[in-house]
Amino acid sequence: MSAAANAVALVSLIAAVNVGAMRMLMTFMSASLDQAAVQVSAVNCRELKSTCV
């Protein structure tokens, strides 16, 4: 392989890894946000002494 082909392969590999990492990060972030929302709603229910869904 030529140097140019090696460079293209390396760039595409790095891009694929970055996209995978971003997807994992986004999934983790959204899961964390969902968990935080559940905890906040549970605290609100306790403070209001109302029945929670």
Side-chain angles (χ1 to χ4, degrees):
M1 287 176 67
S2 68
N6 281 339
V8 168
L10 186 61
V11 167
S12 60
L13 178 64
I14 290 171
V17 169
N18 283 343
V19 168
M22 284 294 291
R23 284 211 184 111
M24 281 172 45
L25 183 62
M26 288 296 188
T27 303
F28 176 73
M29 289 287 287
S30 62
S32 297
L33 288 174
D34 289 345
Q35 188 68 26
V38 168
Q39 288 175 351
V40 167
S41 61
V43 168
N44 285 342
C45 284
R46 278 201 301 264
E47 287 179 356
L48 295 172
K49 297 201 172 19
S50 62
T51 56
C52 303
V53 176

